[in-house]
Amino acid sequence: MTLSITQRTIDAIWRIESAKLIAGLTRMVRDVGLAEDLAQDALVIALERWPEIGIPANPGAWLMTTAKRRAIDYMRRTKLRDQKYIEIANGMDLFTEEDMDRILDGEIGDDLLRLIFMTCHPVLSQDARVALTLRLLCGLTTDEIARSFLAAESTIAQRIVRAKRTLSAEKVPFEVPVGEELKERLYAVLEVIYLMFNEGYSATSGDHWIRPLLCQEALRLGRVLAEIAPHEPEVHGLVALMEIQSSRFKTRVSSTGEPVLLMDQNRAQWDRLLIRRGLAALERSQKLGRPLGPYSLQAAISVCHAQAPTAAETDWIRIAALYEALSRVTPSPIVELNRAVAISMAFGPAFGLQIVDELCAEPSLKGYHLLPSVRGDLLVKLGRFDEARTEFERAVSMTQNVREQELLKNRASECESEASK
């Protein structure tokens, strides 16, 4: 195995295992900043040793064992709390691969939910929570997070460092709260799980358009949360949304890994079990008798797609109405952009383009690649191929995902060919 191949493999393993590793270490040392440092130490050791010894059969177990040894060494060096050292060094055995397989399905899975509640504590601002989530749970680099915030990398780095210090200084407990405290943090937790799922559904950067394992973990956490808070409609709404979106995974990429857009997907291959689970979750949300919130409304939009036998039979008028309702509950330029797409499908591309053109002046969408991408698609439908090519080329320069760049480049080339006819 060449060095470059090994490094790419380690990078992929890290994206899969890092959140679980940090969560498990946070349970041990009760400090999320220290836990991340220990996890990074384990990664550095893996980068040094795996090119020589090969990738272990269970890399997650190897990383956890290595990180735990580093934790013990840290306690020895700094002589922090003898009792804590005894608890870690003597009260917990180092993980074997068999132990790790068992724990990944149990304790560490629960630890991820505890970590989310910890990072969603009200002592942190919303921006700090989002940045910390992208870093710890989604495995994005500081540079990637900075691009998503349209901010300087140094600003994001400082924000993350301050957030970890705040959690440590305030001694925020590593636990799932109960009662009113749970309700107070619930919406922030839902936002984090939603963010986690979206990063898996459309990866911000990298060589793959989707990260199914990240989506599966977000969905699993949502299902656990629905058991913890069964009377909260938006919990069921988010689960419904993730179930139905997950039903499309087999059709979202081609056999060669290329993105397949919604309108081109083979709906016969959508997972009907996940769709039924999503419908049941949405029904639970509706039966609680409160107005539909943002996640339940998005789930209802996904249901419109799931219930349409073909793309041509999609009820775009209903989808446009649901986006209108969503824009009232959660006003957002991105919601407006999606509403523009729905209106274009229901009433024609000229109507959608009018909304998109108004959004071009929106500062928050300045670096959002889907704005020129959507505009390009509408211009294609109107036969304005030269303008559409320019928009797709702009979108290419904005996205960091390799697969999405390829898709947009192909669309720009198609426009160039059409324009030359």
Side-chain angles (χ1 to χ4, degrees):
M1 186 181 290
T2 66
L3 181 61
S4 60
I5 294 174
T6 303
Q7 287 177 335
R8 287 198 298 270
T9 304
I10 294 172
D11 180 63
I13 291 169
W14 178 251
R15 282 184 177 267
I16 294 169
E17 301 291 345
S18 60
K20 300 173 186 176
L21 190 60
I22 293 168
L25 290 167
T26 302
R27 172 166 52 87
M28 292 165 55
V29 300
R30 304 291 168 170
D31 185 318
V32 69
L34 175 57
E36 187 183 14
D37 290 342
L38 293 169
Q40 290 284 347
D41 287 347
L43 174 62
V44 170
I45 295 170
L47 288 168
E48 293 172 350
R49 297 191 58 190
W50 288 2
E52 298 176 2
I53 66 174
I55 305 295
N58 190 329
W62 194 99
L63 288 167
M64 178 59 85
T65 297
T66 301
K68 190 169 184 184
R69 286 177 178 145
R70 297 287 293 183
I72 293 171
D73 289 342
Y74 176 85
M75 291 298 182
R76 284 176 178 152
R77 288 196 311 271
T78 57
K79 297 181 180 178
L80 293 175
R81 289 186 178 173
D82 291 342
Q83 188 57 42
K84 176 62 73 176
Y85 165 69
I86 292 170
E87 177 186 336
I88 294 176
N90 298 331
M92 302 179 184
D93 295 330
L94 292 177
F95 293 117
T96 64
E97 291 193 7
E98 292 77 12
D99 291 334
M100 195 63 184
D101 288 337
R102 171 180 52 79
I103 290 171
L104 285 178
D105 293 329
E107 294 176 13
I108 287 186
D110 295 336
D111 283 346
L112 279 172
L113 194 57
R114 294 188 188 100
L115 181 61
I116 291 172
F117 271 98
M118 184 181 191
T119 58
C120 288
H121 197 279
V123 296
L124 299 182
S125 68
Q126 181 183 15
D127 284 349
R129 290 197 300 264
V130 171
L132 203 55
T133 296
L134 290 170
R135 174 70 176 171
L136 299 181
L137 296 171
C138 300
L140 299 191
T141 64
T142 307
D143 179 51
E144 289 168 340
I145 299 169
R147 289 196 200 105
S148 69
F149 271 94
L150 304 178
E153 185 176 355
S154 59
T155 300
I156 297 300
Q158 291 171 3
R159 187 177 298 168
I160 292 171
V161 168
R162 284 197 299 269
K164 290 188 288 190
R165 285 176 178 169
T166 299
L167 291 175
S168 178
E170 297 292 333
K171 294 182 172 57
V172 174
F174 183 70
E175 63 184 14
V176 175
V178 296
E180 288 302 314
E181 191 177 354
L182 185 146
K183 288 184 178 181
E184 289 172 2
R185 261 187 268 178
L186 188 59
Y187 195 83
V189 170
L190 291 176
E191 182 183 32
V192 163
I193 294 175
Y194 176 69
L195 186 68
M196 186 176 176
F197 183 87
N198 279 348
E199 176 57 30
Y201 198 71
S202 298
T204 301
S205 62
D207 297 332
H208 302 285
W209 196 35
I210 60 175
R211 296 171 60 189
L213 290 178
L214 192 59
C215 286
Q216 290 170 15
E217 191 56 48
L219 178 53
R220 190 196 66 78
L221 292 171
R223 289 170 178 167
V224 172
L225 197 57
E227 296 295 325
I228 295 172
H231 302 298
E232 295 296 329
E234 277 297 84
V235 176
H236 300 297
L238 178 57
V239 171
L241 175 62
M242 294 190 293
E243 298 275 14
I244 296 172
Q245 297 289 80
S246 296
S247 72
R248 305 175 194 160
F249 265 117
K250 290 181 182 178
T251 62
R252 274 180 61 76
V253 292
S254 68
S255 58
T256 56
E258 297 169 344
V260 179
L261 300 178
L262 176 64
M263 302 299 285
D264 301 322
Q265 291 172 17
N266 182 354
R267 298 183 177 220
Q269 293 183 7
W270 286 358
D271 191 320
R272 308 315 298 184
L273 174 60
L274 287 174
I275 290 174
R276 287 195 297 272
R277 293 183 67 136
L279 290 170
L282 183 58
E283 185 179 358
R284 284 193 291 273
S285 172
Q286 294 169 334
K287 281 185 175 178
L288 289 169
R290 297 184 222 169
L292 295 184
Y295 300 119
S296 297
L297 285 168
Q298 289 179 74
I301 292 168
S302 290
V303 166
C304 291
H305 293 295
Q307 292 182 327
T310 65
E313 296 174 86
T314 305
D315 188 349
W316 285 106
I317 293 177
R318 175 166 171 74
I319 290 175
L322 287 168
Y323 272 120
E324 175 68 28
L326 182 61
S327 69
R328 293 176 182 175
V329 173
T330 311
S332 160
I334 293 177
V335 172
E336 278 299 293
L337 183 61
N338 285 314
R339 188 173 74 88
V341 172
I343 286 177
S344 75
M345 296 300 293
F347 305 109
F351 291 97
L353 184 61
Q354 184 177 351
I355 298 172
V356 171
D357 285 345
E358 292 173 1
L359 289 172
C360 288
E362 173 59 46
S364 64
L365 296 181
K366 183 179 179 181
Y368 189 56
H369 72 281
L370 291 182
L371 178 60
S373 176
V374 167
R375 191 168 190 273
D377 186 62
L378 295 175
L379 289 168
V380 165
K381 291 175 179 178
L382 291 169
R384 295 159 60 179
F385 297 109
D386 279 330
E387 295 173 77
R389 176 181 56 79
T390 301
E391 292 300 315
F392 289 131
E393 288 173 348
R394 283 184 60 226
V396 169
S397 68
M398 292 179 182
T399 181
Q400 303 301 315
N401 186 280
V402 174
R403 293 294 187 179
E404 200 160 18
Q405 286 175 347
E406 292 170 354
L407 172 68
L408 292 165
K409 286 177 182 176
N410 289 338
R411 299 218 57 191
S413 297
E414 290 168 2
C415 289
E416 189 172 14
S417 298
E418 289 292 332
S420 64
K421 289 180 179 179

